[in-house]
Every structure is written in structure tokens, then in C-alpha cells.
Amino acid sequence: MKYRSEIAAMAKAILLALLKVLMIIIFAGWIALWLLKPTNLWTRKWKAAEDGARHTVFGYYGLNFAVFTFPPIALTIIGLVYLDLVTKEPPRSRPARSATVGFSNPVVVNSFVGILSSLEILAVFLFFLFLAWTYYARISNDFKKLMPVKSLKLDLWQIKYLRVATRFGLLAEVCLALLLLPVLRGLAIFQLIGIQFEASVRYHILLGTSMIFFSTIHGASTLFIWGVSRHIQDEIWRWQKKGRIYLAGEIALVTGLVIWITSLPQIRRRRFEIFYYTHHLYIVFLIFFLFHAGDRHFYMVFSGVFLFGLDKLLRILQSRPQSCILSARIYLIPSKAIELTLPKDPGLKYTPTSVIYMKIPSISKFQWHPFSITSSSNIDDHTMSVVVKCNEGWTSSLYDMIQAELDSDTGAMNCIPVSIEGPYGPSSLDFLRHDSLLLIAGGAGITPFLSIIKEIASINSSRYRFATQVQLIYVVKKSQDVCLLNSVSSQLLNQSSTQLSLTIKVYVTQEESSNATVIGLVNNFSLARTVNFSTECSNYAVHGLDSSILMAAMVALSSIKFLVSLIFFNRIFVPTEMKSPASQKMAVPSENKASKEKTPSSVVDLLLLASFIVALACNTFVAIILRWKRLKKDIPAASPKQGNKATELVGSVEARSTVEEHEIHFGGRPDFQGIIILSFSYNSATFYYLKFLLLITVCVIACCKQIYCPSFQMKLVDLILESWCVDRKA
């Protein structure tokens, strides 16, 4: 048996290595394609390939789909299979340290750009370098063969400026090709490099801003040339049968500007509803971009649209049928914090820091809001919980609704239906690789760390290696916000029966000094009122996402259905594309040239759109059947105290140790430089070597004449020397 298990493990390792190599080859080929695309060599070869593909059953559209659209789809399919195999590996079988882990460490920490690692900085730099190369290659070729526009009667400088404007549109197209990939959830390919959905959204923001910038230059410059040539009235309202449809481009540009303006932080944070609803205008933007650019250009951006549409469909079906809220705990101190308990299928397992998206139809039928799961699937088999900090808007409506239920005089509590997407989270428990953890949170940001603490406390030390030293730095405005630590109150105590050593340092920034302790504050602010809701409206538990293998199969089938539908529609509605080679040779050259569509018509664009809709419709039918069979087979998780109205006061937990091991500081923020340096483990020989190298580096920097921040550097030196002396004395 041991020999067979070793062979199986070896075969699995070889399979994972092959899948990784295949993904690297596909990704490298896709990047090489975009690098070669602006060159004259690619233009000549591609025209010849399209002419040859016209005489096949796939047509030029099949070639465009296979070359430009399918590589990211194939990368997603293989990546889902790879992630499915990786998630089935126990933590102890994974490598303890990655060779590239140093490149993932934060390099830039800024309130405007966020936290950037060296890999992210390199990727952004290479992306903008690629944009510069694309623009230079295109515009240099254009200036070598300028052709006058007879209909507009432009001067030479006007023709050059018009070409400049056109090439800015192609830069916007490159950004659009990547725009939707970072916001995928179930089909998130960014998980392959360890980036979760909530972290990849900033790439979506960067790409969207760049796309709008290039599109605005493209549109405004074109309108300027039309105005100078006094043809703006003729061109601005044109909807051509063939070629670039100018009116569609103008509608797409205006729609994109509306989406971008309402996405600015000043509007998104204060008027979230405006941001949320106007963001759904992306459907209008994509449709009119298709009509403006044509199907050939749309195939270059279609992979992101295809995956996003399929991901959206799977998420909608996964949130059906609706579940319900089992219970809610409202903390009595006016911090407006609510802990919601939801039913969970016993087979649903999720990793700490996972996120669910929640929609409560009684508050809003369209709004989805993300919340970090605070419970551990190793402890709670039938339920999972989230903590909601109610400030304003949707969360304030939730608080008022639950408070109204508590204050009502009815004999039974109402049922609150809820739709759940997710959980979405990392595929592995990376934090288990470390001997010690330093967790830093502020306000409601404590919720992901609650699940980490519970997960570590629930792990069997005989099976897995886990962090035994955990230090939590928690920054709050008011001491009443410490009530969010109530769910890990048992881990706050000094329990000699477990190997976990948890130390918490609380910093209260907007209150004066006090003699209070961490456990004392948790006890004082943990009085809560708990209510159990009725479950008559729904007895379904949250089942979670479909398996990665199933989603990979759905993506593969959808791409096949799309291609088959596209070929079928083109054979019926565009029969001129399927001429035999013999008839093409016998045709007059002028007629043969006219038969080739240099720019697609609206009919061809509609066929592409119809094929996409057919593929999604077929996938919807298959997904509904699979979901129905799964719900019919599985038994919903039973919920405690269903259907009765019951309120109770949840008190504090008595400390089992008279020694307060945790710290609390009032009226100031933490000194993160000192905390990070002094929080390292002092028992490793490697740590001595690293500190010695860091000491030498800082001393060299401090001796330079042009030093960036002398006070910080000297303070850093003092901290290192102090910690070094403490080590030597110990």
C-alpha cells in the first residue's frame, strides 16, 4: 500500500509539473502573439492565413477565435484542473518555501497605489513598455505610407494627427483585452499566481483608467479633425453599413466615461448605489464597441468577455436557491456590529480569509456585498458566520431591519431570505508554512484574521505543522469596537492545554489612557442580544461553488458551442464567405477584392453576439440540470432552534488566568517599524544572519551623504542594535 501511494504521489507530481509547463507555454505564446501583432511581418502572414481560412469550414472567424480568443480560455481550463489537484494536497506535502517568495514581499506601501510587490511593479512596467512598443511600431509604419483621405480633404499634419488618434484607440483595445480578467471570481485565473479576487480588483481599476484615457484621446482627437475639416456634422451621426461605425464608437466612449466617473472614490464611497448600477452599463459599452471596431478587433478582447459572461452565469446559478439567516447577534454597545449565522452544507469546506457575497432581497434585489467569513469549517459543520459593521447605506438598512424584528411584539420571528455567492478564497493554507505570524488589522478588517486564529486553534498538531506564535496588532478608534474579538475570546485566554500562543496588542486611537485591559474590554463590550429567525421561507443550506473540474468542463463546452454556433450562423447568413478555391481563382480580380470584407458589417457583428448568447443559453440549461440534481441528492443542513422567536443575552467569558498577557494602548497609533522588527523569532540562526545583513545595509545607507530620511534610518539602526543586544543577552 505504501508503494502504491508513493507511485500515485509521484504521478500526481508529474501531472502537476506538466500542467504548469503547458500553462507557461500557452501564456508565452499569447504574449508573443501580441508582441508580433504590430509588425509588418505579422500583418503579411496574418492576411495570407485569413485568406486561406476563408475556404475552410471554420472561416476567417474560426481562425481569429482560435488564435486571439482561445489561449486565455485554454489557460483557464488547464488552470482550474491544476487548482483542483493542488487543493487536494495536504499542507504538509507542499514545499515549505517558494524560490520566488522574496519577490512577493511588499516594496511600495502608499495610500494611492496600495501595496505593491516587486513582481507587480515589474509586471506594470513591462505592460506599459509593451504599450509603448505597440504604439511606436504602429505609428512608424503609418507615417511611412500615408494615404490622403479624399472624402475629408485633410492636410498632411491633419492626416498624421488622425493616424495618431487611431493608434490610441488600439492601445485602449489592449487594455480592454485584459480589463475583465481581474474581476473573475469562480474562474479567477489570477489564483494561479496566488492573487485573490479582492487583491486583483486594483488591476481592473488600473486597466479601466488607462483604457478610458486612451479612448478619450482617440475620440476627442478624431472629433477635432472632423471639426477642422468641417465634416463633423456629416461624420458624427454616420452608421455605415461597412467599416468603422462612428456613432457606435461615440456611444461606447460616452458610456465608458459615465462608468469611469461614477467609479471615482469620491462617488463610489459616498454613493455606492450610483456606482453599482451605472457599472452595469458595461453591457452597452461592449455591444457598441463591437459595432464600432468590428468582429476582427473584438476577437482580441473577446476572451475576457467570454470568461466574464460565463463566470457571471455560474455565479447567478450558484446563488440559487435562496437560503436564509439562522440567527443574528447584535452587540448592545452602540458599535452597530452584527454577527450573522448562515446554514452551511456539511460537505462545504473553505479556507480562512475566504469571502462570500451576500444579497438580501428585502433590502435590495440587485446589490451584492462581500463579507469575510469569521468561522472555521473545521469547527462548524452546519453553519458559517460573518460579522457586519453597520455604518450607512445597505448595512444600516440591515441593522434597522434586525433591530425592528427584535423590538416587534409578534410571537414569531420572520424569515429573512438571503442569496449567497462563494465562498471565494485561497486554494491553500499558506500561513501554515510559517512558525510565527504577525497579523495587523484595523476596525472591521479584523474579520479575516478571526478565521485564521480559529483555523490554527482547530488544527491537529499531530498531522499538520502550524504557527505556534501568533501576534495580532488591532487598531480601533473607540474601545467599544473591541467587541469584534468576542468570537475568539476563548483563544484570548492563557490556555496551557493548547500549543497556540496568541498575543494581542490593541491600539485605541481616539480615547485617552485608561486602566482597562484587553480581556476586560472584551468582557464589558461583549454583551449581545441574539435572535433566532424562522426558516420557513427556505430550508436550503449554502452549497458553495461547483468543483473546479466541473467548471473547467463548462468552459470547454461553452467555447465549443460558441464556435459551432458561429460557423452555423455564418454558413446561413453569410454564404459568400464559403466559396471554393476554384471559383475564387476564376473570379475577376476586382470582384475578388470586392468580395473580401476588409471591415465587417453589422450583420457579422450580430452573428457573433448571437453565437455568444446561444452558448450561454445552452450552458445555463446544463448548469440548471446539474444544480437541480445536486440539490435533490443532498440533504439540507439542519439548523438549530428553527422557527421560534428567542432572544437571549450573551455575557462575557471568565478569564482562566490572572495574568494579562495582552497589551492595550490609548491615544496613539502603533510603531509598525519597531513592531515588525522586534516581532521576529529570536531562536533561529538564520535570523541572526539576516539581521546582520540588514544592519550592514542600513549602516551603509546611513553613511551616504544624500540620505532620504536620516531620522528613520537612524531609528532603524537603533532598533536593530537594541534587538541584537537583547538577543545576545538572552
Side-chain angles (χ1 to χ4, degrees):
M1 289 296 294
K2 184 178 180 180
Y3 180 71
R4 291 181 180 179
S5 62
E6 291 178 354
I7 294 179
M10 185 180 298
K12 188 174 182 179
I14 294 175
L15 179 59
L16 288 173
L18 292 176
L19 291 177
K20 187 180 293 185
V21 170
L22 185 58
M23 287 188 292
I24 293 174
I25 293 175
I26 294 175
F27 180 74
W30 192 54
I31 296 298
L33 183 151
W34 281 95
L35 290 174
L36 292 174
K37 189 174 175 291
T39 62
N40 290 326
L41 175 63
W42 175 267
T43 302
R44 293 194 302 268
K45 296 294 184 180
W46 183 249
K47 287 184 177 179
E50 273 198 339
D51 292 339
R54 288 175 183 273
H55 316 313
T56 65
V57 67
F58 295 101
Y60 79 91
Y61 39 84
L63 179 65
N64 277 270
F65 178 81
V67 174
F68 291 108
T69 303
F70 189 70
I73 297 176
L75 191 64
T76 302
I77 296 172
I78 300 173
L80 289 172
V81 177
Y82 179 84
L83 289 176
D84 183 77
L85 295 175
V86 169
T87 52
K88 293 179 180 179
E89 291 185 350
R92 60 180 178 179
S93 65
R94 300 191 187 100
R97 195 77 171 171
S98 175
T100 60
V101 68
F103 295 100
S104 301
N105 295 331
V107 175
V108 176
V109 180
N110 185 272
S111 59
F112 181 73
V113 298
I115 302 175
L116 296 177
S117 64
S118 56
L119 277 179
E120 292 172 318
I121 295 175
L122 178 62
V124 173
F125 172 76
L126 292 177
F127 175 71
F128 283 103
L129 185 64
F130 163 73
L131 292 180
W133 149 252
T134 301
Y135 187 80
Y136 170 77
R138 291 288 190 185
I139 204 67
S140 60
N141 292 332
D142 290 342
F143 285 176
K144 291 178 182 178
K145 47 182 181 180
L146 285 176
M147 297 294 292
V149 183
K150 297 180 180 180
S151 59
L152 297 180
K153 299 180 181 180
L154 301 178
D155 296 334
L156 181 61
W157 73 270
Q158 295 171 348
I159 297 175
K160 289 184 176 180
Y161 191 68
L162 184 61
R163 301 309 300 168
V164 168
T166 302
R167 296 314 177 189
F168 268 106
L170 293 181
L171 296 184
E173 179 183 283
V174 174
C175 296
L176 182 58
L178 304 173
L179 180 64
L180 296 176
L181 297 180
V183 292
L184 299 176
R185 297 180 192 173
L187 305 178
I189 59 178
F190 275 72
Q191 290 188 14
L192 295 172
I193 54 178
I195 300 177
Q196 300 306 314
F197 167 77
E198 59 273 11
S200 64
V201 172
R202 59 182 171 184
Y203 307 124
H204 173 76
I205 297 173
L206 174 63
L207 291 169
T209 303
S210 302
M211 183 194 70
I212 292 300
F213 174 75
F214 296 137
S215 300
T216 303
I217 296 179
H218 167 67
S221 301
T222 304
L223 292 176
F224 172 74
I225 294 298
W226 288 349
V228 170
S229 61
R230 298 181 181 180
H231 286 79
I232 190 169
Q233 295 293 338
D234 300 330
E235 301 292 337
I236 197 172
W237 302 110
R238 289 186 62 188
W239 188 286
Q240 307 91 295
K241 293 183 179 180
K242 294 182 181 180
R244 298 287 181 269
I245 301 177
Y246 300 137
L247 181 59
E250 295 154 11
I251 296 174
L253 177 58
V254 172
T255 305
L257 285 172
V258 171
I259 295 175
W260 180 77
I261 291 174
T262 56
S263 301
L264 295 175
Q266 294 81 357
I267 298 177
R268 185 182 70 249
R269 294 173 180 173
R270 298 179 181 180
R271 296 290 185 269
F272 179 81
E273 290 78 8
I274 296 177
F275 154 77
Y276 182 81
Y277 292 121
T278 54
H279 229 66
H280 287 78
L281 292 174
Y282 70 86
I283 300 175
V284 178
F285 173 81
L286 292 174
I287 291 176
F288 283 99
F289 172 81
L290 169 62
F291 286 125
H292 173 64
D295 65 333
R296 283 179 173 86
H297 285 271
F298 196 76
Y299 283 118
M300 302 172 190
V301 306
F302 187 53
S303 57
V305 179
F306 184 88
L307 292 174
F308 180 79
L310 187 59
D311 183 75
K312 185 75 172 179
L313 169 67
L314 294 177
R315 288 192 282 117
I316 292 175
L317 295 178
Q318 184 254 324
S319 63
R320 300 289 191 274
Q322 291 181 345
S323 184
C324 62
I325 299 177
L326 294 180
S327 63
R329 174 184 295 181
I330 298 183
Y331 293 94
L332 297 182
I333 298 300
S335 58
K336 281 197 170 183
I338 302 176
E339 183 178 1
L340 302 178
T341 302
L342 305 170
K344 180 184 74 70
D345 185 84
L348 174 59
K349 300 296 181 181
Y350 51 84
T351 53
T353 71
S354 293
V355 176
I356 62 171
Y357 280 76
M358 182 186 303
K359 180 183 72 173
I360 301 180
S362 56
I363 299 178
S364 175
K365 295 183 179 180
F366 303 103
Q367 289 189 28
W368 293 86
H369 293 265
F371 298 99
S372 298
I373 302 177
T374 58
S375 57
S376 172
S377 57
N378 290 334
I379 300 176
D380 304 314
D381 291 332
H382 297 278
T383 60
M384 64 179 180
S385 59
V386 296
V387 174
V388 181
K389 189 70 179 297
C390 305
N391 294 321
E392 58 183 10
W394 188 90
T395 56
S396 180
S397 300
L398 174 63
Y399 182 87
D400 294 338
M401 182 178 64
I402 295 179
Q403 189 66 48
E405 291 290 338
L406 285 171
D407 298 337
S408 64
D409 297 330
T410 57
M413 298 301 296
N414 294 326
C415 181
I416 301 180
V418 59
S419 298
I420 301 295
E421 285 184 11
Y424 305 105
S427 57
S428 61
L429 304 178
D430 291 333
F431 60 87
L432 293 178
R433 299 175 177 177
H434 306 280
D435 295 325
S436 60
L437 295 178
L438 175 62
L439 312 177
I440 302 176
I446 188 66
T447 51
F449 298 141
L450 299 179
S451 60
I452 289 180
I453 295 173
K454 291 182 180 180
E455 185 76 15
I456 295 177
S458 66
I459 288 178
N460 185 359
S461 61
S462 62
R463 293 186 59 192
Y464 303 122
R465 170 192 174 190
F466 65 96
T468 57
Q469 302 286 336
V470 179
Q471 183 175 357
L472 174 62
I473 309 299
Y474 188 32
V475 184
V476 295
K477 293 181 180 180
K478 303 292 183 179
S479 57
Q480 63 189 23
D481 295 330
V482 180
C483 67
L484 297 180
L485 295 174
N486 177 264
S487 60
V488 292
S489 57
S490 59
Q491 284 79 24
L492 293 178
L493 307 177
N494 184 17
Q495 303 181 37
S496 58
S497 58
T498 61
Q499 298 182 7
L500 173 63
S501 176
L502 174 63
T503 304
I504 294 183
K505 294 182 179 180
V506 177
Y507 291 83
V508 184
T509 60
Q510 296 184 3
E511 290 185 4
E512 299 298 329
S513 60
S514 172
N515 295 326
T517 62
V518 174
I519 295 180
L521 288 178
V522 172
N523 288 337
N524 294 335
F525 297 125
S526 293
L527 293 178
R529 198 176 180 189
T530 304
V531 57
N532 299 303
F533 294 99
S534 171
T535 58
E536 294 179 355
C537 59
S538 175
N539 61 347
Y540 286 102
V542 178
H543 285 73
L545 299 172
D546 294 321
S547 65
S548 299
I549 296 294
L550 180 59
M551 288 193 291
M554 297 285 282
V555 174
L557 290 176
S558 296
S559 59
I560 295 174
K561 292 172 188 175
F562 169 80
L563 188 57
V564 171
S565 301
L566 188 63
I567 295 173
F568 176 76
F569 287 144
N570 276 273
R571 291 290 298 271
I572 294 178
F573 296 101
V574 193
T576 56
E577 291 289 327
M578 291 301 301
K579 291 184 178 180
S580 63
S583 62
Q584 289 287 340
K585 292 179 180 179
M586 295 174 60
V588 181
S590 60
E591 295 179 356
N592 193 11
K593 183 178 180 180
S595 64
K596 294 181 180 181
E597 294 183 345
K598 294 183 179 180
T599 52
S601 64
S602 300
V603 175
V604 179
D605 300 336
L606 288 173
L607 294 181
L608 189 152
L609 186 62
S611 302
F612 180 51
I613 294 175
V614 169
L616 289 185
C618 295
N619 237 28
T620 302
F621 180 73
V622 174
I624 289 176
I625 294 177
L626 294 177
R627 170 66 60 171
W628 177 74
K629 287 186 176 181
R630 181 180 179 183
L631 293 177
K632 187 178 179 180
K633 179 182 178 181
D634 294 340
I635 301 176
S639 57
K641 302 180 183 179
Q642 294 185 7
N644 297 324
K645 178 181 179 180
T647 59
E648 56 181 342
L649 293 180
V650 181
S652 60
V653 181
E654 295 182 359
R656 301 178 187 176
S657 174
T658 58
V659 180
E660 172 67 42
E661 297 182 350
H662 313 291
E663 300 178 12
I664 184 167
H665 306 271
F666 290 88
R669 298 177 180 272
D671 179 14
F672 290 112
Q673 287 86 0
I675 291 174
I676 292 175
I677 292 177
L678 297 178
S679 62
F680 281 106
S681 174
Y682 292 71
N683 300 323
S684 174
T686 305
F687 180 68
Y688 286 108
Y689 177 68
L690 292 176
K691 283 209 304 186
F692 178 74
L693 292 180
L694 182 60
L695 177 62
I696 297 299
T697 303
V698 173
C699 289
V700 171
I701 295 175
C703 293
C704 295
K705 294 182 180 180
Q706 297 179 349
I707 192 166
Y708 178 72
C709 184
S711 60
F712 171 73
Q713 297 289 356
M714 295 310 299
K715 185 177 181 181
L716 191 60
V717 172
D718 293 340
L719 286 171
I720 296 176
L721 289 174
E722 180 182 354
S723 62
W724 181 272
C725 294
V726 171
D727 269 350
R728 301 303 295 175
K729 291 178 181 179

